[in-house]
Amino acid sequence: MNTLKPSKQNIKTYLPAGIFLIVFSFLDVIINSFFQINLVGFFPGIISYFFPLIIGFIGLYLIRVEFSGIRSLDILNKNINSNNFNAVLTLLTIFIIVKSISPLINWFFLEANFIGNSKEDCTGDGACWVFIKVWFRRLIYGMYPDPEQWRINIAFLSLFTLVGITFFAPAKIKKYFILFLIFVYPFIGIKLIGGGNFGLTYVETAAWGGLSLTFIISAFAIIFCFPIGVFLALGRRSDLPAIKYISIGFIELWRGVPLITVLFMASVMFPMFLPDGTFIDKLIRVLFAITMFEAAYMAEVVRGGLQALPKGQYEAARSLGMGYWRMNFLIILPQALKLVIPGIANTLLALVKDTPLIFVVGLMELAGMIRLAKTNPNWLGMAMEGYVFAGLVFWIICYAMSRYSQNLEKRLSTER
Amino acid sequence: MGKIIELKKVNKWFDKFQVLKDIDLDVAPQEKIVICGPSGSGKSTLIRCINRLEEHQEGNIIVDGTELAENTKNIEKIRAEVGMVFQQFNLFPHLSILENCTLAPIWVKKLPKKEAEDIAMKNLTRVQIDDQALKFPGQLSGGQQQRAAIARALCMEPKIMLFDEPTSALDPEMIKEVLDVMVDLAKGGMTMIVVTHEMGFAKEVADYMIFMDEGKIVERAKTKEFFENPKSDRTKLFLSQIL
């Protein structure tokens, strides 16, 4: 029995045999999955079904030579082929991936329809991308009137240009660009999109929608919730009881309520408390609600960072004659915020992904527009395409944010 | 001679536990005082009361003519005049050594950046780490960090320097480089209060020795007399154990 066990003595015969069996098992699965040809169809049903698994398993057994002296083989054995159980898991994982790639490619590309203008043009079994194509403008701009859409384009194009310039600006003037971007530009952008003066037609916020609304809401909420969250975090750790308990109350109130309820209150209940004749735009009420909601979460994330700092940092700052604000803004917050970048990114990603909830007040961003489009009588049954598209777009936005936060973390690191 | 620090009947409690009991202490300008005693005797608390990192409950503490109390408005001004060096260095890890040294002069004393940097480089040269100015604290050895911390305190051009066990967290071979800097500082005429167990340093620079135990000043004497002819039995016992 011992002579049959793979070892350095019989590696010359076992290794090629093992590799052959593994390659054959992969080939079988790949051909089966992409060309629907069963190489081993002559076997009875169940054996032919499990055939690749069995020969792959034997192959992996044959190449499991301890200390073979071949580096790549040793790494392979150690990581994915250390015993029979792991070998089976490895094979199953690879087979499942191979098996699922082909239907996905088919659905997304090979059997999908790209050309046409109506549902009837979608004849294939795959996705009907015509749906996205036809509705594209609506998905991006919502109900914003077609002839005015250049305003949204200009607003976002100039935003991206400004961000680009800021990124490459020399360090000396960089901070002015950043301040402009955060405190001035958002209002210019909103004026441009909203219109009303400067010869721009007024477009009511109820018509705003689609991906551009996702961006607008996310950007405003992020800009406002961050400083509010920081002040709430400081407030919760304050020595002054009034400030401390107001902060705690605020945080616990907003954190304890589901966002959907908050939005509902903001749009339905809130106007009832206003004196007659006063009117606050729905979008502003929604922005306020989301900002406060996320600020409460942000506050707790930041507080986590504040608590992680050693007491010595506070003492050193105070011993140098710094007061409360200088100590916090020069010493404590820069360190605390750096510590909690992953938590901040988490909260902001959640914020972006929470924006679809604004459907409860009748505003429709990207996911909302898709909900609307799929219920159009001419386009029934397009939910899959729509939500896959929305998912992809959200994933791209969130992944970009996530990468940026990782990049920021690395750039700010002062360890060695 | 005038007094720059004056403590009268200072009492302090942590909850029910009394850490300082009827402390009286006068320090004249340019005097160097070393405080020693067993751990938990209140030495650190005492010097932390002098720049009000800790608050005392009874008695008076007067620093450079200003009494420290609950309603002292310009406590930041006092702190800017009193430099402090900590056991754990407490450098700001997100700033370079140079920025550590210039931050407070720029923001608290409102010096122009150029001037603050000149002062910082002068003090970093004085503690012999001017070549490390652009590194971050995490990249320096313990001894270098503590010298940087001393330079940071000096950049505020304080009238008084407080040292809270500055060498206790250091590896033995780094203690000397820090003590050398402190000796140099003492010879330059700085008013210093040092909590330390380094008796060699105490003998070299201290004008007065203070021995504390259980929150009280047990003995206060001229350095020579303190080591050669201590009066209280508690002091004798302590000295016999650490010398």
Side-chain angles (χ1 to χ4, degrees):
Chain A
M1 192 64 204
N2 238 1
T3 51
L4 284 176
K5 204 170 155 25
S7 69
K8 272 194 129 164
Q9 277 76 45
N10 50 32
I11 192 168
K12 281 226 167 77
T13 46
Y14 275 28
L15 189 59
I19 290 175
F20 173 76
L21 288 179
I22 295 166
V23 168
F24 186 77
S25 76
F26 283 178
L27 262 182
D28 185 26
V29 175
I30 290 169
I31 290 172
N32 196 337
S33 138
F34 284 90
F35 306 104
Q36 275 78 40
I37 300 168
N38 194 349
L39 289 182
V40 289
F42 49 84
F43 283 126
I46 192 142
I47 297 184
S48 102
Y49 188 75
F50 284 112
F51 185 75
L53 188 63
I54 296 165
I55 63 162
F57 178 71
I58 298 172
L60 282 176
Y61 176 78
L62 290 179
I63 65 165
R64 198 180 302 136
V65 181
E66 274 180 57
F67 308 116
S68 60
I70 305 165
R71 223 179 106 75
S72 46
L73 183 61
D74 282 343
I75 291 173
L76 188 91
N77 279 338
K78 190 174 154 227
N79 290 310
I80 60 169
N81 188 24
S82 55
N83 56 38
N84 290 339
F85 179 66
N86 279 350
V88 172
L89 283 187
T90 303
L91 286 173
L92 282 178
T93 315
I94 295 174
F95 290 167
I96 288 171
I97 292 173
V98 171
K99 283 260 183 196
S100 54
I101 282 176
S102 126
L104 277 180
I105 291 179
N106 277 341
W107 190 82
F108 270 94
F109 305 107
L110 299 183
E111 289 169 22
N113 289 89
F114 298 91
I115 305 157
N117 295 308
S118 72
K119 195 181 170 186
E120 280 63 45
D121 293 320
C122 291
T123 46
D125 290 332
C128 180
W129 296 124
V130 178
F131 170 66
I132 302 294
K133 201 179 79 181
V134 170
W135 284 87
F136 194 71
R137 277 189 160 226
R138 293 278 155 261
L139 296 183
I140 302 295
Y141 304 107
M143 293 305 177
Y144 206 86
D146 282 4
E148 303 292 331
Q149 279 165 8
W150 61 270
R151 281 153 56 178
I152 296 185
N153 292 342
I154 296 284
F156 279 99
L157 272 181
S158 48
L159 173 68
F160 293 138
T161 322
L162 263 172
V163 170
I165 295 174
T166 311
F167 196 76
F168 293 106
K172 249 189 181 160
I173 51 171
K174 203 169 190 167
K175 64 179 168 196
Y176 299 109
F177 272 102
I178 292 174
L179 288 178
F180 179 79
L181 262 177
I182 293 177
F183 294 108
V184 185
Y185 187 77
F187 301 98
I188 298 179
I190 282 297
K191 198 73 222 164
L192 184 60
I193 296 173
N197 358 42
F198 308 115
L200 297 170
T201 356
Y202 174 69
V203 181
E204 55 167 356
T205 52
W208 302 13
L211 186 61
S212 53
L213 185 64
T214 307
F215 274 121
I216 291 169
I217 290 186
S218 305
F220 269 86
I222 288 173
I223 290 172
F224 289 120
C225 88
F226 186 69
I228 296 175
V230 168
F231 280 109
L232 282 174
L234 290 176
R236 192 165 182 167
R237 286 168 60 82
S238 168
D239 293 330
L240 306 170
I243 293 179
K244 182 175 174 179
Y245 290 110
I246 289 173
S247 303
I248 292 180
F250 186 94
I251 292 171
E252 297 303 339
L253 176 73
W254 287 91
R255 217 161 51 128
V257 188
L259 181 56
I260 203 158
T261 333
V262 174
L263 288 171
F264 189 75
M265 302 266 265
S267 83
V268 180
M269 304 256 309
F270 183 64
M272 290 198 255
F273 301 120
L274 288 177
D276 283 344
T278 36
F279 172 76
I280 299 178
D281 193 276
K282 188 160 38 171
L283 183 63
I284 291 177
R285 281 180 273 148
V286 162
L287 264 178
F288 179 79
I290 295 183
T291 303
M292 290 303 158
F293 184 83
E294 300 294 344
Y297 278 91
M298 188 61 76
E300 289 297 275
V301 171
V302 173
R303 192 168 68 94
L306 293 176
Q307 272 169 350
L309 285 195
K311 220 173 121 216
Q313 292 293 313
Y314 291 86
E315 290 176 350
R318 278 158 60 196
S319 79
L320 288 168
M322 293 186 196
Y324 180 83
W325 296 109
R326 282 194 196 118
M327 172 175 79
N328 275 303
F329 279 95
L330 296 173
I331 307 298
I332 304 303
L333 282 173
Q335 294 183 61
L337 293 179
K338 192 173 84 183
L339 273 178
V340 295
I341 287 176
I344 293 175
N346 232 355
T347 310
L348 297 185
L349 288 181
L351 186 158
V352 172
K353 290 187 293 179
D354 277 346
T355 52
L357 285 179
I358 59 175
F359 81 87
V360 294
V361 302
L363 288 173
M364 283 170 296
E365 42 61 75
L366 178 59
M369 282 314 294
I370 281 166
R371 194 175 298 108
L372 186 76
K374 83 181 162 71
T375 48
N376 184 301
N378 295 328
W379 293 96
L380 288 176
M382 292 294 151
M384 180 89 125
E385 286 80 356
Y387 286 123
V388 166
F389 176 73
L392 271 176
V393 173
F394 271 104
W395 184 81
I396 291 169
I397 298 171
C398 292
Y399 186 67
M401 286 170 69
S402 155
R403 289 305 306 214
Y404 179 73
S405 85
Q406 284 169 33
N407 176 291
L408 200 63
E409 230 173 301
K410 235 182 241 155
R411 210 147 28 99
L412 294 179
S413 165
T414 56
E415 313 282 315
R416 275 164 219 277
Chain B
M1 195 153 58
K3 297 166 196 160
I4 192 160
I5 301 173
E6 209 177 342
L7 279 74
K8 281 186 264 180
K9 295 253 174 257
V10 172
N11 282 294
K12 176 171 175 59
W13 288 264
F14 284 132
D15 287 328
K16 295 236 167 80
F17 176 71
Q18 191 168 7
V19 269
L20 296 180
K21 297 171 187 164
D22 287 338
I23 301 286
D24 286 305
L25 178 68
D26 296 329
V27 182
Q30 306 214 347
E31 252 182 349
K32 289 109 189 95
I33 291 180
V34 168
I35 305 177
C36 60
S39 65
S41 58
K43 327 174 282 274
S44 291
T45 311
L46 174 62
I47 68 164
R48 287 158 63 86
C49 280
I50 294 173
N51 67 353
R52 211 168 165 77
L53 285 181
E54 301 281 359
E55 294 172 12
H56 60 288
Q57 278 95 25
E58 279 177 14
N60 312 87
I61 299 178
I62 298 156
V63 178
D64 199 21
T66 311
E67 169 150 16
L68 306 187
E70 189 79 32
N71 52 6
T72 307
K73 283 226 178 66
N74 38 9
I75 182 68
E76 271 101 44
K77 237 177 103 193
I78 300 288
R79 285 189 181 135
E81 285 178 11
V82 182
M84 181 142 189
V85 177
F86 300 86
Q87 184 177 356
Q88 299 294 344
F89 329 139
N90 293 345
L91 289 170
F92 305 131
H94 62 303
L95 301 173
S96 71
I97 298 298
L98 183 64
E99 287 165 331
N100 262 279
C101 292
T102 55
L103 191 71
I106 290 174
W107 289 90
V108 178
K109 289 180 86 178
K110 309 279 181 204
L111 292 186
K113 193 172 174 211
K114 185 80 190 62
E115 198 181 331
E117 277 177 356
D118 289 344
I119 294 172
M121 284 317 293
K122 193 187 78 196
N123 283 308
L124 286 173
T125 312
R126 188 171 181 186
V127 301
Q128 294 169 17
I129 46 167
D130 44 320
D131 50 337
Q132 315 282 344
L134 296 179
K135 287 192 183 167
F136 287 97
Q139 297 166 313
L140 266 55
S141 75
Q144 289 171 326
Q145 288 192 47
Q146 190 61 296
R147 283 185 282 152
I150 294 174
R152 177 178 71 180
L154 289 176
C155 285
M156 289 297 284
E157 299 179 325
K159 294 183 180 163
I160 304 160
M161 285 284 284
L162 307 173
F163 293 83
D164 187 3
E165 306 204 27
T167 56
S168 301
L170 293 175
D171 288 341
E173 71 261 37
M174 292 172 183
I175 291 177
K176 189 175 174 298
E177 61 188 54
V178 172
L179 289 181
D180 285 347
V181 167
M182 289 165 64
V183 170
D184 169 63
L185 199 57
K187 294 201 169 128
M190 177 66 74
T191 311
M192 289 163 70
I193 302 181
V194 185
V195 173
T196 186
H197 299 295
E198 297 294 331
M199 289 304 140
F201 167 79
K203 280 177 189 166
E204 190 176 345
V205 304
D207 297 315
Y208 281 99
M209 292 293 296
I210 286 176
F211 176 71
M212 285 183 74
D213 190 29
E214 294 179 346
K216 281 190 293 241
I217 293 184
V218 177
E219 187 150 356
R220 179 182 197 271
K222 291 236 165 179
T223 309
K224 198 158 182 267
E225 204 176 308
F226 181 84
F227 284 106
E228 286 170 7
N229 191 14
K231 289 198 180 57
S232 104
D233 292 340
R234 185 68 189 85
T235 317
K236 283 177 198 163
L237 178 68
F238 179 77
L239 287 175
S240 73
Q241 277 164 347
I242 65 162
L243 284 180

